[in-house]
């Protein structure tokens, strides 16, 4: 039996209901909003699962004796795996979307619960990669569901809510960890996120449904199209509609905008993965202060995604908002890049900059998501998940490449993360000893020729050192030998990294800005009107066409 012929209420039992989730008719608004809410909640939990790893990264690195480079390559490998699974998720046009989301949540939750019990960093990496595999599938399946349950005239608002998933996921991470890390371990933090995934899984298992292929394979402009969409569904062959779907989606008109938005988000990727490191290394912020300034960006972005979606749906246009938002983020990113070499910039300067930049990024992204799904629909509405799979694949490749290149461009980040803390601690602990050495450089240069053991130093050299430096000061230097060894091994490297870091980070911010510039021409070429007046005229013409078709359908039996 094909999935297109399955109705939820026709299932013979509970087990059937848990797998066969198709709706034979388009749902009323209340049920539709409930389905959309479950999808948004799923997205929030998914990014909570992913981002919690970065919130406790220091503990994970210490537990498994990782280098920072190893931890970075975990993200690179994970995103590469996610790129492959995003392509696989294109099969959601044949298999459906809801089961991928429901059982993906179950698998993701179990994986995160198991992660802390791994004994080696290789095992941790393997499970981490599987988690990204699941994320790549859900990344495609969730916006496909959002598209299915949101007609075009409400699409930007719905996509705005979906897009706040990563942002609210970040806020959940910072809120939970800031309130529990004092009394909880990093393993507990992963367990909390895994349990939250299983709770949402139970909700989705019982409540989440999806449109049958015959319904979702059509373009729905407004809820007024509902009767016509249901009437047309009887004459649609889903298998025929999907013929050649990959060839239709792997075209410049689909892949180009997907690549453009992926490089547009380079700044976002860097803020998610490296903001704490950046503000710590360049401005001396604590983790708490760096996360506090980041919250200005996340909060503004979350609000603007929804507000921009509402405005876009009200005006019935996407491209003007995308262009204005992108032009604004180009400006704020340029200012942010310039400030990289100004170490004394105030906290509230960044707060205001992030407030504006986060808001403008939302103005760009929510209308883009709506425009992209509408561009895909314009090519073939039956291949929506395939088009989103192309987007998810390209997005994850760009994320993986960018994660790999941050340490290449910002070479200072590795020594600062790997040794910065211990060098700073050694510098503070060995301060008195270093002052003594600075007062008697010749004496300590001579002592350095011998092992740091009084028995190994010639008596004449030792006697001269005692005379010139004093026994008490010599003992102070002797006691600080472990810290001095750390400074000798890594101090110069870290000092150079601290000096070079601001300019290297600035280079990466310019790369992010270039990605935003690339976005502009691709966004301009997407489907949709520039003029709200023309868009209203199109909507009115569509309503009249729908009314005519419905009238013909009502007259047909009488003929």
């Amino acid at each position: 039996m094909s999935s297109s012929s399955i109705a939820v209420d026709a299932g013979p039992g509970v087990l059937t209901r848990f797998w066969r989730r198709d709706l034979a008719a388009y749902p009323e608004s209340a049920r539709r909003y409930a389905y959309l809410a479950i999808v948004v909640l799923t997205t929030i939990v998914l990014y909570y699962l992913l981002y919690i790893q970065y919130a406790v990264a220091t503990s994970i690195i210490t537990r498994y004796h990782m280098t920072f480079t190893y931890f970075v390559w975990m993200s690179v490998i994970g995103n590469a795996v996610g790129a492959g699974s995003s392509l696989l998720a294109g099969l959601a046009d044949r298999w459906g979307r809801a089961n991928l989301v429901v059982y993906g949540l179950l698998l993701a939750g179990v994986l995160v619960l198991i992660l802390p019990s791994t004994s080696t960093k290789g095992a941790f990496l393997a499970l981490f990669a599987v988690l990204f595999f699941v994320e790549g599938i859900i990344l495609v399946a969730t916006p496909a569901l959002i598209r299915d349950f949101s007609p075009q005239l409400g699409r930007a608002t719905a996509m705005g809510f979906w897009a706040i998933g990563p942002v609210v996921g970040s806020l959940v991470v910072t809120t939970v960890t800031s309130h529990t890390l004092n009394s909880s371990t990093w393993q507990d933090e992963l367990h909390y996120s895994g349990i939250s995934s299983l709770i949402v899984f139970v909700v989705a298992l019982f409540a989440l449904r999806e449109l049958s292929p015959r319904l979702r394979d059509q373009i729905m402009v407004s809820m007024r199209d509902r009767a016509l969409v249901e009437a047309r569904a009887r004459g649609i062959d889903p298998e025929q509609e999907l013929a050649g779907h990959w060839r239709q989606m792997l075209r410049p008109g689909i892949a180009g905008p997907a690549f453009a938005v992926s490089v547009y988000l380079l700044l976002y990727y860097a803020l998610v993965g490296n903001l704490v490191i950046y503000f710590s290394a360049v401005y001396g912020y604590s983790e708490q202060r760096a996360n506090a300034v980041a919250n200005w960006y996340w909060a503004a972005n979350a609000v603007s995604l929804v507000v921009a979606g509402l405005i876009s749906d009200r005006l019935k246009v996407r491209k003007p908002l995308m262009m204005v938002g992108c032009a604004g983020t180009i400006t704020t990113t340029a200012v942010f890049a310039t400030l990289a070499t100004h170490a004394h910039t105030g906290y509230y300067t960044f707060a205001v900059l992030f407030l504006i930049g986060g808001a403008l990024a939302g103005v760009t992204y929510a209308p883009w998501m709506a425009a992209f799904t509408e561009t895909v629909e314009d090519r073939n509405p039956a291949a929506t998940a395939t088009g989103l799979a192309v987007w998810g694949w390209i997005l994850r490749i760009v994320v993986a490449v960018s994660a790999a290149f941050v340490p290449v461009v910002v070479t200072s980040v590795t020594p600062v993360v790997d040794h910065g803390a211990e060098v700073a601690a050694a510098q503070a602990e060995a301060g008195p000893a270093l002052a003594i050495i600075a007062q008697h450089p010749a004496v300590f240069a001579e002592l350095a020729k011998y092992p740091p053991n009084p028995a190994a130093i010639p008596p004449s050299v030792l006697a001269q050192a005692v005379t010139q430096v004093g026994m008490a000061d010599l003992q102070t230097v002797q006691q600080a030998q472990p810290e001095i060894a750390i400074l000798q091994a890594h101090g110069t490297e870290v000092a150079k990294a601290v000096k070079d870091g601001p300019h290297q980070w600035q280079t990466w911010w310019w790369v992010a800005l270039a990605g935003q510039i690339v976005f502009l021409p691709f966004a301009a070429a997407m489907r949709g009107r520039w003029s709200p007046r023309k868009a209203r005229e199109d909507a009115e013409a569509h309503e009249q066409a729908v009314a005519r078709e419905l009238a013909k359908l009502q007259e047909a039996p009488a003929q």
Side-chain angles (χ1 to χ4, degrees), residues 107-121:
L107 180 56
V110 171
L111 282 169
V112 174
L113 288 174
I114 295 173
L115 263 175
S117 63
T118 54
S119 57
T120 66
K121 63 183 180 182

Side-chain angles (χ1 to χ4, degrees), residues 438-461:
Q439 293 171 3
H440 307 280
V443 173
F444 286 99
E446 182 65 24
L447 290 173
K449 298 176 182 179
Y450 308 98
N453 180 357
I457 302 173
S460 60
V461 174

Side-chain angles (χ1 to χ4, degrees), residues 85-447:
S85 64
S86 292
L87 275 184
L88 181 63
L91 294 172
D93 284 322
R94 294 186 183 276
W95 296 349
R97 294 86 146 101
N99 283 326
L100 295 177
V101 172
V102 171
Y103 297 107
L105 273 174
L106 172 62
L107 180 56
V110 171
L111 282 169
V112 174
L113 288 174
I114 295 173
L115 263 175
S117 63
T118 54
S119 57
T120 66
K121 63 183 180 182
F124 192 96
L125 170 59
L127 289 183
F128 194 66
V130 177
L131 179 62
F132 267 89
F133 181 88
V134 176
E135 184 269 347
I137 291 175
I138 298 179
L139 176 73
V140 172
T142 48
L145 282 168
I146 293 288
R147 172 265 170 190
D148 294 345
F149 287 122
S150 59
Q152 288 184 355
L153 293 184
R155 180 77 50 78
T157 304
M159 285 298 178
F161 276 106
W162 174 84
I164 68 173
V167 180
V168 177
S170 295
L171 288 173
V172 171
V173 167
T174 56
T175 301
V176 173
T177 54
S178 64
H179 286 84
T180 59
L181 265 178
N182 289 337
S183 57
S184 302
T185 65
W186 69 269
Q187 292 95 334
D188 293 331
E189 298 299 336
L190 267 66
H191 289 156
Y192 299 153
S193 67
I195 292 169
S196 71
S197 178
L198 296 182
I199 292 172
V200 177
F201 156 72
V202 171
V203 174
L205 179 68
F206 287 95
L208 186 60
R209 298 290 176 266
E210 65 179 320
L211 300 181
S212 70
R214 295 178 186 274
L215 290 173
R216 70 174 181 246
D217 288 356
Q218 301 181 62
I219 295 176
M220 191 165 179
V221 176
S222 73
M223 285 297 291
R224 296 186 183 92
D225 298 0
R226 179 184 172 193
L228 181 59
V229 165
E230 292 176 349
R232 285 174 176 169
R234 291 187 288 272
I236 288 180
D237 180 357
E239 291 298 321
Q240 183 177 352
E241 294 294 319
L242 274 173
H245 60 125
W246 282 110
R247 185 176 64 254
Q248 294 168 5
M249 293 299 117
L250 286 170
R251 291 173 176 266
I254 304 296
F259 171 76
V261 81
S262 299
V263 294
Y264 173 84
L265 293 171
L266 283 174
L267 178 66
Y268 174 83
Y269 309 147
L271 293 182
V272 167
N274 299 293
L275 184 137
V276 172
I277 294 170
Y278 172 67
F279 274 96
S280 173
V282 177
Y283 301 100
Y285 282 20
S286 65
E287 288 186 358
Q288 183 178 9
R289 189 168 178 81
N291 281 304
V293 76
N295 282 340
W296 290 85
Y297 187 95
W298 306 134
N301 190 236
V303 172
S304 71
L305 283 166
V306 177
V307 172
L310 288 166
I311 294 172
S312 179
D313 286 334
R314 181 67 179 268
L315 297 177
K316 298 179 174 60
V317 292
R318 318 300 190 200
K319 290 193 282 192
L321 277 79
M322 289 190 283
M323 304 302 278
V324 169
C326 184
T329 57
I330 288 171
T331 302
T332 56
T333 303
V335 174
F336 184 59
T338 302
L339 293 177
T341 53
H342 293 72
H344 300 293
T345 304
Y347 172 92
Y348 285 102
T349 299
F350 288 116
V352 172
L353 190 64
F354 278 8
L355 183 70
I356 297 171
L360 289 167
V363 171
T364 307
Y365 193 60
W368 183 89
M369 283 299 301
F372 183 74
T373 56
E374 290 161 4
T375 301
V376 169
E377 284 179 335
D378 198 45
R379 174 69 61 179
N380 182 357
T384 297
T386 307
L388 287 167
V390 171
W391 159 72
W393 172 60
I394 293 173
L395 179 72
R396 282 288 160 252
I397 289 175
V398 172
V399 174
V401 172
S402 68
F405 269 86
V406 167
V408 174
V409 175
V410 190
T411 57
S412 62
V413 71
T414 299
V416 168
V417 172
D418 287 350
H419 305 295
E422 65 175 338
V423 166
Q427 186 79 34
E429 186 70 22
L434 294 174
I436 293 169
I437 292 172
Q439 293 171 3
H440 307 280
V443 173
F444 286 99
E446 182 65 24
L447 290 173

